[in-house]
Amino acid sequence: MKAINIFPFGDSALVVQLGEGVDPATHEKVQLLCAYLDDHPLEGMTEYLPAFTNVTIYYDCYHVLQDAGQDSEQLPYELFRARVQRLLAQIEPGEQVEARTVEIPVYYGGELGRDLETVARHNSLTPEDVIRIHTEGDYLTYMVGFAPGFPYLGGLSERIATPRRETPRLAIPAGTVGIAGTQTGVYPIETPGGWQLIGHTPLKLFQPDQWPPTLIQAGDRVKFKAISKDEYDQLVKEGAQ
């Protein structure tokens, strides 16, 4: 990997900056580094955290110094940074991580998709147009954050892009599908939020008693599928997983 910037983050972490913009090329580098860290865990690493354009890697200072020996005069950051640089040098250009595809069934509109009409009016479309365009999309999960299991999905068509609400709602039910600007996503737990709500899925995106606890992972491809109210009620009755 080339054109990478590494800098300290506090006294026990560093950031590997892999790009400047939110784009598929930078995302592929983030995913590839995470895959390498899974397969080749660094001595002293405690965990890593991927984001849109970088990966933050946390390390145990005492462990790093112990490995270096008593004669080392380098700081833990310098020692661990060298390990990260050696790992990066092993990653061959053009390598890719295979992506999963997750299908999300959605009942659009109704009480839990109360902003569907708003999105349609904002874009001079019908609600049916919004549903069709939304389900035609092939979405890339750039990162998971804000709330446990909340997927930030890129690839939303400009034809249905809609600004956030001026006043956020205090409680959005888990499973609600929303739009904010040129992103779409699904609320995994009940939380405040300002996204435009267009539908609801009976799937559970966050289950802390399972591993992994989140249905959608960074790097996954997501497809939305429109379902009828009867299909939705049946999935709810079955306790959709």
Side-chain angles (χ1 to χ4, degrees):
M1 288 189 178
K2 297 181 179 180
I4 295 174
N5 185 27
I6 302 176
F7 54 89
F9 186 69
D11 61 358
S12 58
L14 56 75
V15 175
V16 183
Q17 187 72 32
L18 298 161
E20 297 300 328
V22 180
D23 57 70
T26 299
H27 174 76
E28 285 183 10
K29 294 178 183 178
V30 169
Q31 288 302 111
L32 191 54
L33 175 54
C34 291
Y36 261 69
L37 289 171
D38 287 338
D39 294 338
H40 310 88
L42 295 168
E43 280 293 328
M45 180 180 75
T46 56
E47 63 176 327
Y48 67 82
L49 179 65
F52 282 118
T53 61
N54 59 57
V55 179
T56 301
I57 307 175
Y58 294 83
Y59 55 88
D60 183 321
C61 294
Y62 179 73
H63 190 153
V64 172
L65 284 173
Q66 252 192 340
D67 290 342
Q70 295 182 350
D71 295 334
S72 176
E73 295 182 357
Q74 289 183 288
L75 296 172
Y77 166 73
E78 296 169 335
L79 293 164
F80 193 73
R81 187 179 193 275
R83 292 178 186 177
V84 172
Q85 288 176 315
R86 287 194 292 272
L87 178 73
L88 293 171
Q90 298 172 14
I91 301 177
E92 296 292 337
E95 290 189 60
Q96 294 183 334
V97 177
E98 187 175 347
R100 278 193 322 156
T101 297
V102 180
E103 184 178 83
I104 306 294
V106 179
Y107 174 63
Y108 288 90
E111 179 62 24
L112 296 177
R114 65 189 73 177
D115 298 324
L116 181 61
E117 292 275 0
T118 300
V119 173
R121 285 196 303 271
H122 178 80
N123 292 284
S124 301
L125 298 169
T126 66
E128 292 72 24
D129 289 332
V130 174
I131 296 170
R132 175 178 54 79
I133 294 169
H134 193 255
T135 54
E136 287 175 348
D138 178 22
Y139 303 99
L140 174 61
T141 309
Y142 278 101
M143 65 172 286
V144 175
F146 160 63
F150 188 100
Y152 283 90
L153 305 176
L156 183 72
S157 172
E158 291 280 358
R159 292 177 293 169
I160 56 174
T162 309
R164 296 168 183 261
R165 288 171 47 85
E166 291 185 6
T167 304
R169 294 184 173 97
L170 296 179
I172 307 297
T176 305
V177 180
I179 287 175
T182 56
Q183 287 191 320
T184 186
V186 186
Y187 285 84
I189 61 174
E190 182 177 297
T191 180
W195 291 39
Q196 304 287 351
L197 313 181
I198 62 171
H200 192 269
T201 180
L203 296 187
K204 299 173 183 177
L205 270 71
F206 178 60
Q207 299 188 73
D209 58 340
Q210 296 188 9
W211 185 260
T214 57
L215 175 65
I216 301 173
Q217 310 290 321
D220 287 347
R221 291 282 178 177
V222 173
K223 294 284 293 184
F224 292 99
K225 176 186 177 183
I227 58 175
S228 68
K229 185 63 165 61
D230 287 343
E231 290 173 312
Y232 172 86
D233 290 340
Q234 182 62 34
L235 287 172
V236 170
K237 184 178 179 181
E238 294 171 357
Q241 298 296 313

